[in-house]
Amino acid sequence: VSFGLKMDDPILLALNSARGYSKNSQFLCAILKYLEVIDSVPELASDVEHELVSCTNSFASRNLNNEKVEQLYFLVKKIASSNPLLYEGLGAYFISKGDFISGIENLKIANELDPGNVSVLSKLEAAFGNAIDSWHFRMLNDKIRNTCYEKAINRAIQAKPNCTVLDIGTGTGILSIMSKRAKHIYACEMNAVLCKIAKKNIEKNQLQEKITLIHSHSNALQKGNILPANGVDVIVTELVDS
């Protein structure tokens, strides 16, 4: 496609150069050339947007540890802010890096821009599956088990009126919510996705003033640093698989 440009026009030559780099898998060079073209002739942005996004996603998937990736996505997002393929690629990049929160957020944007896209939906399903171990769901649906835990927690809290509780590995926040009769609960969780779910559950139960959610491994907790200086009275945790 010449876009009405003469064959020897510098813009067309630069565009062909970008396509040549892309064809030879020199994606960074291609991206920079596409950006150069768009900077010179902004009205061409919509015409080459898909090619630019494809190159950016290809570069990202092959260079997970390259610090330029996020910088490039930032630049490309200014040009292709409504392109679902961009957010799908960015989501896949973050998930490959182990950042499930950012990955899922970007995949959700891709799904909003292109509802029902099978590729995006499958990536979302896989992301949730990898971010949360399947045994969490079995535990949450085990009513007998959870009832026993709630009774045990209530007995412990009743034995120490006005007590403070530490919930180690709060997951979705279920044990912290069960501990609501305590004076205050400190809930720690190292999984970022579960931490976000716990936050929503705590807010839904209007317990955000009573439960302090800590995104951390329990080994990093210290008295006097978020936790009370004299420690807590009761510790609850769920260490047994369902």
Side-chain angles (χ1 to χ4, degrees), residues 49-204:
E49 175 186 306
H50 184 80
E51 298 172 48
L52 173 61
V53 169
S54 294
C55 281
T56 306
N57 288 344
S58 294
F59 178 75
S61 66
R62 291 165 172 78
N63 297 275
L64 296 179
N65 297 315
N66 192 316
E67 61 183 16
K68 292 186 176 70
V69 171
E70 291 183 43
Q71 297 171 9
L72 290 171
Y73 269 121
F74 177 79
L75 293 173
V76 175
K77 195 183 290 186
K78 291 181 178 180
I79 298 163
S81 61
S82 298
N83 190 308
L85 187 62
L86 173 73
Y87 294 99
E88 181 180 358
L90 186 54
Y93 165 75
F94 278 123
I95 289 167
S96 296
K97 296 277 288 182
D99 184 351
F100 289 97
I101 289 290
S102 298
I104 289 170
E105 287 177 350
N106 279 281
L107 288 173
K108 283 183 175 180
I109 295 172
N111 187 51
E112 289 171 2
L113 293 170
D114 186 13
N117 184 301
V118 175
S119 176
V120 174
L121 291 174
S122 64
K123 285 184 175 68
L124 265 173
E125 183 178 357
F128 278 115
N130 289 325
I132 304 174
D133 292 321
S134 60
W135 50 262
H136 276 285
F137 302 101
R138 295 197 300 272
M139 286 167 53
L140 290 171
N141 289 302
D142 192 333
K143 293 182 180 180
I144 296 174
R145 177 194 188 94
N146 292 333
T147 299
C148 290
Y149 264 99
E150 187 169 23
K151 288 179 179 177
I153 288 170
N154 284 333
R155 282 200 301 268
I157 291 173
Q158 289 170 4
K160 288 182 174 289
N162 211 33
C163 66
T164 53
V165 173
L166 171 61
D167 178 8
I168 297 176
T170 193
T172 59
I174 185 171
L175 297 188
S176 288
I177 292 169
M178 288 178 181
S179 305
K180 62 185 177 183
R181 293 177 179 81
K183 178 182 178 181
H184 197 82
I185 304 103
Y186 299 87
C188 75
E189 174 56 55
M190 63 181 294
N191 183 302
V193 174
L194 284 172
C195 207
K196 191 169 184 179
I197 293 172
K199 182 176 184 292
K200 289 184 178 180
N201 286 334
I202 290 167
E203 290 173 351
K204 186 175 182 180

